Each structure stands twice: as C-alpha cells, then as structure tokens.
Amino acid sequence: MLERMTTKEPRAAELARFAGLVADETRAACLLALLDGRAWTAGELARHAGVAASTLSAHLGKLVAGGLLTEERQGRHRYVRLADARVAQLVEDLAAQVSPNGHEPRPRNLREAGAGAAMARGRTCYDHLAGRLGIALTDALTGRELLRQDTGFALTDNGIDWFDAHGIRLDRTSRRPLARACLDWTERRPHLAGVAGAALCRHALDTGWCVRIGSERAVKVTAAGEHALAELLGIGAGALH
C-alpha cells in the first residue's frame, strides 16, 4: 500500500505559538489590564497579576518578543503597553468569547463585585468607550443618523459634520477605519471603535465628561458629562448608571 502523504499547513506552527502567548493566566491578566490604553510599569502589572516581579518580567519578555506589547525604559522603570489597536481588538474579541452565554464569573468578594459593576457601567476598551456607556453613545449616534450599522459601522456625512461641529477631531490620515464595530463583552452588542470611537473617548476624558475611577479601566460620567450628553445626543442619565 502506498503511504498516504500529508502536507503540513505552514502557518499552523506559527499560529500555535502565537496562541500560546495568551494561553497563560498571568499573561492574559496583563493583556486585559493594558486594554486601558495606558503604559504600565512592570511592578504595577506584577501587583495586578499577583505574581513576583521576576516571574512577571519573564512573561513580559515573551509578550514583547511575540509582538503583542511594546516597551520602553525610563530610568529604572520598564513601561509596557499594547503594541497597537489591532492587538487591543484581538484581546477584546477573545474576552468576548469567554462567556458566550452571558454568564460572567461570580465575584469572590464585595470589592470584586463593585469593580465588576463599575466596569459594566463604563470603561475604556483600549482607546474607546465600552460598557453601558459605550452602547448608549453608539445607540444615540445611530438613532440620530450620525452612525450607520446596516452594512457595518460607518459615519454618515451628518455624523462627520457633527464631530467637526463639536470640536471632536477625527484623524483623517490614520490607516484605521473611521468607524468600526467592537463586540462589547459585557453588553454582548457592538459599540463604536475606530478613529471616531477613539476621538470621542479622548474628548470625553479631556473635557471632563468622564473620569477614570480606581485602578481598572472603569470610567464614570460626571455631572458635566451627563449635561453634555443629554444636550448633544439626548442620552438620559438613567442610561449612564
């Protein structure tokens, strides 16, 4: 009998190695923490992940070598951040698949319950807004025909004019899509990402519509933010809490 010949898929080994980068609880914890879009020190990440600094350093080395993180050193501190928006999208998409039936892990204590509730209300997803806040913004933009969702996310001409009229600068030179749908892992619905999502998040934080709370990615809408979002987009305070 002739021996059956098999041909290996050349990308299989590379894909397996890449998947292995996130197939570790400590490294996954680091990637999720860095979805806040900021640079963290190695020490901060070690405390967040609950491991020794030496252990964390080895994990960071693998993530940097694998292209998921970038690093820079300032004095004795080593800072790391997600390599780019594509990595953030990959991590968020994977996180959305963890509980496909909408059943989140039960919090172990009141602190975890409070942090989880704050993240569900509003948080940053790398450089755009997510949670109920992100969904409320997306729904309001869509309802006012500033954003289309029927053939994928796209700003309408009125939407582009709305951003310009309110001083929310859209980077037209970016290679990123102007608007992109990002699956929200707590709401199980897409929220606005891309250039427009990043611009809206940056404006909300710069103007004080939102402030970061705690050490996680959670954000809170301020009184000024409630007033602005009600006036500009018709979003009621009840949708933000």
Side-chain angles (χ1 to χ4, degrees):
M1 296 180 60
L2 293 176
E3 183 179 352
R4 186 169 61 180
M5 301 294 293
T6 59
T7 302
K8 285 187 176 181
E9 163 60 60
R11 297 169 298 176
E14 291 301 319
L15 179 58
R17 277 193 287 271
F18 183 79
L21 290 173
V22 296
D24 176 272
E25 187 173 351
T26 297
R27 293 195 289 273
C30 292
L31 292 169
L32 289 170
L34 291 168
L35 277 175
D36 69 357
R38 296 179 290 182
W40 288 47
T41 67
E44 289 169 337
L45 282 174
R47 288 189 292 273
H48 175 80
V51 297
S54 57
T55 300
L56 195 281
S57 181
H59 285 299
L60 293 184
K62 292 180 179 180
L63 291 172
V64 170
L68 294 178
L69 302 184
T70 59
E71 68 174 337
E72 60 180 81
R73 294 184 181 273
Q74 292 185 9
R76 62 187 183 86
H77 291 295
R78 178 191 189 187
Y79 289 88
V80 294
R81 64 170 69 245
L82 295 181
D84 52 35
R86 291 177 301 174
V87 174
Q89 180 183 347
L90 171 66
V91 175
E92 189 75 8
D93 287 348
L94 288 173
Q97 302 303 315
V98 172
S99 302
N101 296 318
H103 301 301
E104 299 300 323
R106 180 174 296 179
R108 293 171 294 184
N109 49 52
L110 288 176
R111 181 178 179 277
E112 282 194 1
M119 290 274 281
R121 280 194 300 271
R123 64 184 182 277
T124 54
C125 175
Y126 187 54
D127 61 359
H128 56 272
L129 294 167
R132 291 197 294 275
L133 170 60
I135 294 297
L137 288 167
T138 301
D139 286 348
L141 290 168
T142 304
R144 296 196 169 210
E145 298 185 346
L146 307 176
L147 175 71
R148 293 183 58 181
Q149 298 190 39
D150 53 345
T151 55
F153 274 29
L155 289 185
T156 63
D157 290 341
N158 287 340
I160 293 174
D161 291 342
W162 183 88
F163 274 79
D164 289 340
H166 294 97
I168 307 175
R169 190 180 68 84
L170 297 172
D171 183 4
R172 307 303 212 287
T173 65
S174 175
R175 292 182 293 178
R176 298 173 64 187
L178 194 58
R180 178 181 67 78
C182 179
L183 180 61
D184 196 293
W185 59 266
T186 52
E187 295 298 305
R188 307 294 163 182
R189 295 176 53 202
H191 57 244
L192 176 64
V195 170
L200 190 55
C201 178
R202 184 170 58 248
H203 187 78
L205 291 171
D206 288 347
T207 58
W209 292 359
C210 297
V211 293
R212 296 184 185 273
I213 55 176
S215 59
E216 300 287 347
R217 295 184 280 142
V219 298
K220 180 178 70 172
V221 180
T222 64
E226 288 184 4
H227 176 78
L229 294 177
E231 182 178 9
L232 299 179
L233 290 171
I235 300 176
L240 305 174
H241 300 287

